């Protein structure tokens, strides 16, 4: 509760409303002892008309929070059939509540079902109509851009009201005849030779100031002018094949201003398990660290939250593309009319809130929900029931997304083939985006990364432990052992420690002490992701994106992150700065089939390739040196290479057995 003083001038407005953003989650609002209403969706903005309840002088606002865990359980138990949710959630039924799914635990995060108000909480005065949303549409032709700005106003009654638009130093005033309810007021601006916004590494990030005002209200934004496309088309038939493939390959390429961008980056989770610690400094540090590692895309993962405005503003400024999931992950969800309607309201608000950020590349319906149809006993037993439920929700939010932002593609799920296709995208690497987890969860060697050819790999990863310095923030001296209860508690993935150790046996000797154990786990993690990224980057333009799991942690833990909780870079992040460099040489070791006489044999080969994201052709010199295990150079050769614009050059292919002199 909070007591506050209302000045006389606020009461002079015809309308006064309470604006409440990011309310987590089940809460009842009371003003001066009168109930304003109840809320139960953290991802919606809530606005209450309070003019009649305010009084000049002291007022009291109270917010009574109920247990999100209990509320979710009540809904789940009342459902007509079981709706399974991910086993990472320590409490069941969290999929019935519109709250970050990871708040009740994940395989990298603690179970902390927090509550509170994390966004704006303010009283706003308005005349007969208030500004609800402001958004713009861009139409680009050669050397020209038409920008149409739309202001959505909600009017209490029919009225006439001026709406003023200011953009690029120009001003438009529209005197609008408003009806009671929702109104759209538009103004158009035409720019010659606009300064275009580019992803980092492809150009600059100019931002144009936009202001819309009406009465005493105003909205300020910054627009980046660019054309954003997702190229998702089937491959042409291969004339070398006697019979065409029953399912041809299908691309996934992000194209900005006509240039195809190889997306280099990682997945993003909420930056701290405690919302009060999600400070502006933390956001600036993490996104800056991503750019410092040559990343140009982050994926806002669907088990977390739609991020704060600061996150997207920083991505705009720094040129970081954003793959934006809707907040559904790894579970089934209710298919009732009420639940779907609530989710549609959420999606409409979030997309209208975020659509003017030039950084956002696409909207994605969910994380792994199509694939989850194969995970649960209930879904395997009655697949039709759950598939229809999924289809109802996904199509509904997809329709809302298309109406709220017709300028971007709605990608139905990750992984998937693309819009309109609902195959399980887990195993079909030739179409759309892929998630590849056979190395970590399946225990395959790192070379398995070179056995698949994804078009866009939006999830893959390998775990490591945090540094000794970070471990010492939560473990006493006597607990510095990976088998201690404290260290086990900070490993949320069942069997995770065993997977790390078993891979040691494949590539290394067992480390001699605890600090070396932690260090070697990070070397191993870096080697795993390096193996994947360098090979997949060398397949461009067939493969056009790699987003490893994951950039950051929300507490100190053994995980797939490349940046520890607290901000230290792991070995992986230092390697990312190298394997995501604009121009690089990659050494790829992989088994291939070759003919030996009349039979096929498997031969382990080394491929050296030069890779460039630079838009012009470039020349490079590659030096190859072979050492023995005592550090003696056995062989050294140099190769002059011409690398095509935004392309790949093959430098050398040689069997491993022929490397040594």
């Amino acid at each position: 509760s909070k007591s506050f003083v209302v000045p006389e001038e606020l009461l002079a407005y015809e309308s006064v409303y309470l604006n409440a953003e990011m309310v987590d989650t089940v809460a009842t609002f009371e003003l001066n002892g009168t109930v304003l209403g109840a809320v139960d969706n953290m991802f919606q903005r809530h606005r209450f008309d309070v003019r009649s309840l305010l009084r000049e002088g002291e007022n009291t606002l109270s917010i009574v929070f109920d247990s999100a865990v209990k509320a979710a359980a009540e809904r789940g138990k009342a459902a007509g059939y079981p709706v399974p949710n991910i086993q990472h959630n320590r409490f069941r039924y969290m999929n019935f509540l519109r709250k970050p799914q990871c708040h009740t635990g994940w395989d990298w995060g603690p179970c902390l079902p927090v509550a509170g108000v994390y966004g704006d909480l303010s009283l706003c005065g308005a005349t007969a109509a208030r500004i609800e949303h402001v958004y713009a549409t861009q139409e680009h032709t050669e050397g020209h851009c038409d920008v149409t700005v739309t202001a959505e106003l909600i009017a209490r009654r029919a009225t006439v009201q001026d709406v003023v638009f200011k953009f690029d130093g120009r001003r438009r005033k529209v005197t609008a005849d408003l009806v009671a309810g929702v109104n759209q007021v538009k103004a158009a601006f035409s720019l010659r030779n606009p300064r275009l916004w580019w992803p980092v590494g492809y150009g600059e990030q100019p931002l144009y100031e936009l202001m819309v005002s009406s009465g005493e209200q105003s909205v300020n934004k910054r627009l980046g002018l660019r054309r954003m496309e997702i190229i998702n088309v089937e491959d042409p038939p291969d004339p070398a094949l006697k019979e065409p493939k029953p399912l041809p390959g299908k691309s996934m390429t992000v194209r900005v201003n006509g240039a195809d961008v190889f997306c280099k980056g990682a997945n993003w989770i909420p930056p701290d398990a405690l919302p009060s610690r999600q400070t502006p400094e933390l956001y600036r540090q993490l996104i800056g660290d991503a750019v410092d590692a040559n990343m140009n895309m982050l994926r806002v993962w669907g088990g977390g939250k739609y991020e704060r405005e600061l996150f997207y503003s920083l991505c705009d400024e720094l040129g970081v593309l954003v793959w934006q999931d809707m907040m559904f992950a790894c579970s089934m969800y209710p298919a009732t009319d009420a639940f779907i309607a609530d989710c549609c309201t959420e999606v409409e608000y979030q997309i209208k809130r975020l659509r003017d950020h030039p950084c956002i590349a696409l909207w994605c319906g969910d994380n792994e929900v199509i694939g989850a149809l194969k995970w649960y006993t209930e879904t395997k037993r009655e697949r039709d029931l759950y598939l229809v439920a999924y289809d109802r929700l996904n199509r509904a939010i997809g329709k809302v997304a298309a109406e709220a932002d017709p300028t971007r593609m709605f990608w139905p799920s990750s992984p998937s083939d693309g819009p309109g296709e609902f195959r399980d995208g887990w195993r079909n690497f030739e179409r759309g985006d892929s998630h590849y987890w056979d190395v970590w969860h399946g225990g395959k060697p790192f070379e398995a990364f070179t056995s698949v050819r994804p078009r866009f790999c939006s999830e893959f990863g390998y775990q490591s432990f945090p540094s000794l310095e970070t471990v010492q923030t939560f473990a006493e001296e006597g607990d510095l052992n990976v088998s201690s209860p404290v260290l086990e508690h900070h490993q949320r993935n069942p069997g995770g420690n065993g997977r790390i150790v078993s891979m040691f046996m494949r590539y290394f000797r067992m480390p001699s002490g605890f600090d070396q154990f932690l260090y070697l786990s990070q070397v191993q993690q870096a080697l795993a992701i390096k193996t994947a990224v360098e090979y997949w980057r060398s397949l461009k333009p067939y493969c056009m994106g790699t987003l490893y799991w994951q950039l950051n942690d929300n507490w100190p833990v053994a995980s797939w992150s490349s940046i520890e909780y607290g901000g230290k870079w792991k070995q992986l992040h230092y390697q990312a700065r190298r394997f995501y460099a604009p121009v690089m040489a990659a050494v790829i070791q992989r088994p291939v089939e070759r003919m030996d006489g009349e039979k096929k044999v498997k031969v382990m080969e080394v491929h050296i390739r030069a890779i460039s994201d630079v838009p012009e052709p470039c020349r490079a010199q590659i030096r190859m040196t072979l050492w023995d295990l005592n550090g003696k150079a056995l062989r050294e050769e140099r190769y002059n290479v011409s690398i095509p614009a935004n392309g790949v050059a093959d430098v050398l292919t040689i069997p491993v057995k022929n490397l040594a002199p």
Side-chain angles (χ1 to χ4, degrees):
S1 63
K2 179 179 180 62
S3 293
F4 56 95
V5 174
V6 171
E8 180 181 359
E9 53 267 27
L10 184 61
L11 297 177
Y13 287 103
E14 180 177 340
S15 171
V16 179
Y17 61 91
L18 176 67
N19 186 73
E21 298 176 2
M22 294 184 74
V23 180
D24 184 10
T25 291
V26 183
T28 302
F29 283 73
E30 295 182 8
L31 179 62
N32 295 329
T34 299
V35 174
L36 299 177
V39 302
D40 60 2
N41 187 323
M42 177 178 158
F43 306 134
Q44 293 179 12
R45 177 179 61 189
H46 307 286
R47 286 180 162 178
F48 304 97
D49 194 334
V50 297
R51 173 64 182 81
S52 62
L53 298 176
L54 290 172
R55 52 182 179 245
E56 187 177 349
E58 189 170 291
N59 294 255
T60 301
L61 174 69
S62 298
I63 308 174
V64 179
F65 287 91
D66 293 325
S67 165
V69 170
K70 290 181 180 178
E74 289 171 2
R75 298 176 190 194
K77 291 173 183 177
Y81 61 92
V83 184
N85 69 316
I86 189 71
Q87 63 180 359
H88 304 322
N89 285 155
R90 312 291 279 191
F91 293 108
R92 291 181 61 193
Y93 308 118
M94 193 49 57
N95 48 338
F96 282 82
L97 196 62
R98 300 308 296 145
K99 173 182 175 67
Q101 302 292 277
C102 63
H103 278 185
T104 52
W106 215 264
D107 58 355
W108 39 257
C111 176
L112 285 175
V114 291
V117 180
Y118 314 138
D120 178 69
L121 186 65
S122 60
L123 287 171
C124 306
T127 51
R130 72 170 187 248
I131 300 175
E132 193 72 1
H133 293 288
V134 171
Y135 47 84
T137 301
Q138 307 173 23
E139 292 187 13
H140 291 264
T141 54
E142 187 66 33
H144 195 269
C145 179
D146 290 322
V147 177
T148 302
V149 182
T150 299
E152 282 192 12
L153 280 75
I154 295 182
R156 294 165 55 87
R157 54 178 172 79
T159 187
V160 176
Q161 191 162 310
D162 288 341
V163 183
V164 176
F165 301 81
K166 294 180 181 179
F167 180 66
D168 189 35
R170 285 172 278 177
R171 183 179 185 272
R172 303 270 191 276
K173 184 174 82 169
V174 179
T175 300
D177 292 317
L178 305 178
V179 300
V182 179
N183 300 263
Q184 289 189 342
V185 183
K186 300 177 184 289
F189 298 85
S190 185
L191 286 78
R192 290 192 176 187
N193 300 317
R195 294 174 294 125
L196 296 181
W197 183 96
W198 290 90
V200 60
Y202 289 80
E204 297 181 346
Q205 295 79 42
L207 297 170
Y208 288 79
E209 298 293 332
L210 168 66
M211 186 186 79
V212 177
S213 61
S214 186
E216 298 298 319
Q217 292 194 308
S218 65
V219 173
N220 295 277
K221 291 190 167 189
R222 294 186 300 171
L223 301 186
L225 303 182
R226 84 288 178 273
R227 286 175 292 144
M228 185 73 69
E229 303 169 84
I230 306 297
I231 309 304
N232 181 224
V233 296
E234 291 192 343
D235 296 339
D238 186 348
L241 296 176
K242 294 180 180 179
E243 295 184 7
K245 293 181 178 180
L247 191 64
K250 199 171 188 182
S251 66
M252 185 181 188
T253 301
V254 176
R255 182 172 292 169
V256 183
N257 301 325
D260 291 347
V261 175
F262 190 98
C263 295
K264 305 177 291 189
N267 285 256
W268 171 278
I269 65 171
D272 202 291
L274 295 174
S276 60
R277 294 182 179 177
Q278 296 175 11
T279 62
E281 293 74 23
L282 179 57
Y283 279 93
R284 291 188 181 96
Q285 174 194 325
L286 288 172
I287 298 172
D289 286 347
V291 173
D292 286 346
N294 291 308
M295 296 184 186
N296 61 19
M297 177 176 268
L298 294 173
R299 175 178 174 234
V300 179
W301 168 74
K305 62 174 183 173
Y306 306 95
E307 269 299 346
R308 301 167 188 259
E309 197 69 23
L310 176 63
F311 171 87
Y312 303 98
S313 295
L314 289 170
C315 289
D316 291 344
E317 293 170 10
L318 297 174
V320 178
L321 295 166
V322 173
W323 172 312
Q324 180 64 55
D325 280 1
M326 304 297 103
M327 293 301 118
F328 306 90
C330 301
S331 299
M332 300 297 101
Y333 289 89
T336 63
D337 290 343
F339 184 85
I340 292 174
D342 192 45
C343 292
C344 287
T345 300
E346 161 195 319
V347 169
E348 179 186 17
Y349 163 65
Q350 291 292 346
I351 289 181
K352 287 182 176 179
R353 174 176 80 96
L354 299 173
R355 58 171 283 182
D356 280 333
H357 287 284
C359 63
I360 296 179
L362 78 164
W363 311 110
C364 178
D366 61 66
N367 173 77
E368 298 183 350
V369 178
I370 292 178
L373 287 164
K374 293 183 177 179
W375 297 355
Y376 303 105
T377 302
E378 299 90 342
T379 57
K380 287 185 276 189
R381 185 187 300 128
E382 294 188 86
R383 180 176 174 83
D384 290 353
L385 170 66
Y386 295 96
L387 182 59
V388 169
Y390 172 80
D391 184 65
R392 287 194 67 203
L393 176 61
N394 188 268
R395 287 184 186 273
I397 64 173
K399 181 180 179 182
V400 169
E403 292 171 351
D405 182 12
T407 69
R408 287 183 181 84
M409 179 177 285
F410 178 80
W411 195 260
S413 179
S414 183
S416 76
D417 292 4
E421 301 197 44
F422 296 92
R423 296 180 186 88
D424 178 4
W426 278 85
R427 308 309 309 170
N428 191 355
F429 299 104
E430 295 182 356
R431 295 173 66 85
D433 78 306
S434 306
H435 294 186
Y436 185 68
W437 284 102
D438 285 8
V439 173
W440 173 256
H441 290 297
K444 290 186 177 181
F446 297 161
E447 291 76 21
F449 283 122
T450 68
S451 68
V452 296
R453 291 165 51 87
R455 308 307 291 264
F456 192 116
C457 199
S458 50
E459 260 196 42
F460 60 102
Y462 203 85
Q463 265 203 9
S464 71
F465 287 92
S467 65
L468 180 61
E469 180 183 25
T470 298
V471 170
Q472 287 173 333
T473 65
F474 63 81
E476 305 266 343
E477 188 67 28
D479 296 318
L480 299 183
N481 183 304
V482 291
S483 299
S484 71
V486 170
L487 267 293
E488 289 281 2
H489 181 70
H490 286 255
Q491 168 60 273
R492 310 309 290 173
N493 184 241
N497 292 354
R499 291 188 182 95
I500 293 172
V501 173
S502 65
M503 199 64 80
F504 282 169
M505 303 300 189
R506 227 177 213 141
Y507 295 107
F508 306 100
R509 296 178 179 178
M510 279 298 292
S512 59
F514 180 70
D515 57 338
Q516 293 299 310
F517 188 99
L518 303 180
Y519 178 82
L520 186 58
S521 78
Q522 292 196 16
V523 172
Q524 181 169 262
Q525 177 195 32
L527 177 61
I529 305 307
K530 176 179 185 291
T531 301
V533 171
E534 291 189 351
Y535 176 59
W536 294 338
R537 279 192 72 188
S538 79
L539 300 179
K540 64 186 293 189
Y542 182 87
C543 175
M544 286 300 289
T546 60
L547 306 177
Y548 63 74
W549 187 268
Q550 67 215 57
L551 180 75
N552 56 310
D553 280 325
N554 70 349
W555 74 313
V557 65
S559 83
W560 299 268
S561 73
S562 62
I563 301 176
E564 300 176 7
Y565 184 77
K568 280 194 69 175
W569 287 20
K570 291 183 178 178
Q571 293 281 333
L572 171 56
H573 210 74
Y574 287 101
Q575 284 295 327
R577 186 158 61 183
R578 298 176 180 176
F579 61 62
Y580 279 152
V583 180
M584 66 165 296
V587 179
I588 300 153
Q589 180 176 307
R590 61 189 298 262
V592 296
E593 286 190 341
R594 300 294 187 200
M595 296 300 297
D596 184 6
E598 296 184 355
K599 64 178 182 178
K600 288 184 178 179
V601 296
K602 276 196 172 181
V603 178
M604 187 64 75
E605 290 185 344
V606 167
H607 303 258
I608 299 178
R609 294 171 182 166
I611 304 162
S612 173
D613 294 331
V614 177
E616 299 87 20
C618 58
R619 299 182 60 81
Q621 185 179 84
I622 293 177
R623 182 178 67 191
M624 181 190 76
T625 307
L626 181 72
W627 287 275
D628 66 15
L629 295 182
N630 293 316
K632 179 183 177 183
L634 303 177
R635 174 179 181 175
E636 181 172 304
E637 296 177 7
R638 296 173 186 264
Y639 305 92
N640 293 316
V641 183
S642 296
I643 314 173
N646 200 24
V648 178
D650 285 315
V651 179
L652 177 70
T653 298
I654 185 171
V656 170
K657 65 180 182 180
N658 295 345
L659 272 175

